[in-house]
Amino acid sequence: MAQYTEVIQQLKSQANADNVAGMARYAIKGNELLGISIYTLRIMAKSIGHDHALALKLWDSGIHEARILAGLIEEPDKVTDTQLERWVSDFDSWDIVDQLSALIAQTPFVIQKIHEWAVRDEEFVKRAAFSLIAEISFYHTHMPDADYEQFFPFIVNAATDERNFVKKAVNWALRNIGKRNLALNKRALEVAHQIKQLEPKTAQWIASDAIRELSSEAIQQRLAKRK
């Protein structure tokens, strides 16, 4: 595939060792990091367009930025359950998880994968579940409030997970649900207070941070205007 070779060459030509060092300071890691910014990758994706076959090839390259680019050019309607399971098993950095969540959220499998991955033990697989909740809470305006109830038990159960990339995603998911409207804000605050009763410091942090933001005057005023 000539285009694949050209894209890989283009990526490697933009490798930046200084950026790789900077990414490490933000806990971004991977088997082969080139140090290319997400802004550059988005420009490349726009010039390439959507291409399922190329996305599969780029993912299989194992290059960190090529995998992010794969998610940007992938065609959501051509993604399969098998593909998602194969890709999620390769997740090795929080930025891969969060960038790919935008793609997965557009597939028919998003709710199914939240349910499956939220109870998995692998750190980045589990993060993916809560990154997806955060993603659809922000972008999927068509989901009824009642549909968010299915996510709260997952959030409560994962609130005791002390791994940094899991706890931050759990907090993110809870906060994004609570910023949809006043009704879900009230429900998310109830869940946050429930979590605050749990003993681990991780749960205390998740709850306190969510309560602080969701009960803030700025959020309450913003949601009141959406009535």
Side-chain angles (χ1 to χ4, degrees):
M1 182 182 292
Q3 189 180 12
Y4 167 76
T5 302
E6 292 168 4
V7 171
I8 293 296
Q9 289 175 344
Q10 185 179 357
L11 287 169
K12 290 185 174 181
S13 72
Q14 298 182 78
N16 187 314
D18 290 338
N19 286 351
V20 171
M23 292 164 74
R25 289 194 290 273
Y26 288 95
I28 294 173
K29 59 182 182 179
N31 291 328
E32 189 173 348
L33 278 170
L34 300 178
I36 304 172
S37 74
I38 185 61
Y39 307 104
T40 298
L41 294 175
R42 285 171 180 161
I43 292 171
M44 287 184 64
K46 188 174 182 179
S47 67
I48 294 169
H50 293 293
D51 190 324
H52 175 66
L54 179 57
L56 294 177
K57 289 277 291 181
L58 289 173
W59 188 270
D60 288 342
S61 73
I63 298 171
H64 186 86
E65 287 83 355
R67 285 182 164 172
I68 293 177
L69 184 59
L72 293 172
I73 68 169
E74 179 59 284
E75 300 172 72
D77 60 327
K78 293 184 180 179
V79 172
T80 66
D81 182 283
T82 300
Q83 177 186 341
L84 288 179
E85 287 302 319
R86 186 163 57 86
W87 282 21
V88 77
S89 69
D90 291 331
F91 285 178
D92 57 3
S93 184
W94 66 265
D95 64 320
I96 287 277
V97 175
D98 295 356
Q99 291 298 329
L100 267 291
S101 291
L103 165 69
I104 300 168
Q106 298 176 64
T107 72
F109 307 103
V110 57
I111 303 300
Q112 172 191 336
K113 291 307 165 189
I114 289 171
H115 281 255
E116 292 175 358
W117 296 345
V119 295
R120 293 265 293 270
D121 187 58
E122 305 97 313
E123 183 174 12
F124 293 114
V125 175
K126 200 166 189 177
R127 180 185 175 89
F130 296 98
S131 179
L132 285 172
I133 294 173
E135 181 77 19
I136 64 176
S137 297
F138 191 81
Y139 290 106
H140 285 207
T141 57
H142 61 280
M143 276 185 62
D145 287 1
D147 286 0
Y148 287 90
E149 284 293 329
Q150 64 188 302
F151 304 137
F152 290 128
F154 294 132
I155 289 171
V156 173
N157 289 337
T160 57
D161 193 316
E162 297 182 349
R163 292 174 294 183
N164 191 50
F165 296 118
V166 174
K167 77 174 186 181
K168 287 189 173 181
V170 171
N171 171 264
W172 182 26
L174 182 58
R175 288 186 293 109
N176 270 15
I177 292 175
K179 289 187 283 189
R180 284 187 63 81
N181 55 50
L182 283 173
L184 283 173
N185 177 269
K186 179 181 178 181
R187 186 71 182 95
L189 281 168
E190 290 172 354
V191 172
H193 283 288
Q194 178 184 348
I195 291 171
K196 200 169 185 180
Q197 302 306 309
L198 302 176
E199 187 175 336
K201 290 182 179 179
T202 294
Q204 297 292 314
W205 177 83
I206 289 171
S208 297
D209 187 70
I211 292 168
R212 185 184 308 111
E213 180 174 12
L214 296 179
S215 62
S216 69
E217 184 177 353
I219 293 297
Q220 291 298 316
Q221 289 181 351
R222 185 191 311 165
L223 296 179
K225 291 178 182 178
R226 295 181 184 174
K227 279 186 173 180

